[in-house]
Amino acid sequence: MINGNCTGDVNPDAWYPDQPNGGNPRTVIQQIVPETKRAIALCNSCPEKDACMDEGLKSMNLAFGIWGGLLPGQRILIAEQRGDDVMAVVGARKLVSGPQDSKHDYEDRQKLRKDERENALSFYSRIRPYLEV
């Protein structure tokens, strides 16, 4: 179990910045940037950063949260550069589970859907300029 700087933080949502879902996207992004920067700074000083990064590079975690100081879009690019098989087949991630599920269905639920990939990369490209200073 990873017990890093984020464990027990007063704002656990800071590690899960979301794309704006209404309003002026620039204004909404600027509102989440300070907490995102704070979360990344805590990650970068964390003794568990490497273990966290390994966990964040698992297919099921690629599209969500800050892991090891990196946003989802950053980790997707790293995984793709490494040649990891991260994409699920179309129709993956069924919500059913149980003995009727095949191993293939389970593995597909652990991988990234195309829309998740596109959303994470889009969000990263939009927020990156605000994080670089």
Side-chain angles (χ1 to χ4, degrees):
M1 173 177 227
I2 296 175
N3 196 13
N5 289 349
C6 59
T7 306
D9 189 76
V10 296
N11 185 9
D13 291 339
W15 276 267
Y16 292 91
D18 257 338
Q19 281 196 84
N21 201 14
N24 181 331
R26 174 171 274 155
T27 302
V28 176
I29 285 177
Q30 288 175 334
Q31 290 172 351
I32 65 171
V33 165
E35 279 299 311
T36 301
K37 282 184 173 183
R38 186 182 75 77
I40 291 171
L42 282 172
C43 287
N44 287 332
S45 66
C46 184
E48 299 291 339
K49 182 178 179 176
D50 291 339
C52 183
M53 175 64 71
D54 290 342
E55 195 66 27
L57 284 168
K58 291 181 178 177
S59 296
M60 66 185 131
N61 295 326
L62 281 175
F64 309 101
I66 298 171
W67 294 81
L70 298 178
L71 293 164
Q74 292 170 289
R75 295 192 315 277
I76 289 169
L77 293 173
I78 290 169
E80 289 176 347
Q81 288 171 352
R82 293 187 334 183
D84 294 352
D85 178 22
V86 299
M87 297 301 294
V89 296
V90 174
R93 291 223 180 143
K94 295 181 202 171
L95 296 178
V96 297
S97 62
Q100 74 277 11
D101 283 351
S102 70
K103 181 179 180 206
H104 178 74
D105 290 338
Y106 173 76
E107 289 170 355
D108 285 345
R109 285 195 311 272
Q110 302 304 307
K111 294 187 178 182
L112 193 62
R113 290 191 325 246
K114 184 177 180 181
D115 64 321
E116 291 170 332
R117 177 188 181 276
E118 291 170 2
N119 287 340
L121 292 175
S122 171
F123 180 65
Y124 173 57
S125 70
R126 289 190 322 207
I127 197 171
R128 185 176 70 197
Y130 296 96
L131 298 176
E132 296 172 350
V133 174

